[in-house]
Amino acid sequence: MMRINKCLPLWQEITVVLLIKMALLFVIWKCFFSEPVAKHMLVPQPMVAERFLGTASSPLTK
């Protein structure tokens, strides 16, 4: 295994690598998951509930 810098103790190397990973995950999250692609494409709440809960949103007919 190749070490980045032999002057740093292992706990500091691990801390640096974890900080870099956290920064990269934050950038990926901001780029891909922070906002919807098209803000005008909103799904009505009853339709979402119908899909997830399996309930009918239309009134019962007699």
Side-chain angles (χ1 to χ4, degrees), residues 13-47:
E13 286 185 32
I14 291 172
T15 303
V16 169
V17 169
L18 287 176
L19 289 174
I20 292 171
K21 284 184 178 185
M22 287 173 48
L24 287 174
L25 284 173
F26 180 75
V27 169
I28 290 171
W29 175 72
K30 282 303 258 183
C31 289
F32 295 108
F33 300 107
S34 63
E35 294 181 13
V37 175
K39 292 182 180 181
H40 66 280
M41 296 179 66
L42 296 176
V43 180
Q45 187 67 26
M47 188 180 292

Side-chain angles (χ1 to χ4, degrees), residues 58-62:
S58 60
L60 295 173
T61 56
K62 292 184 181 182

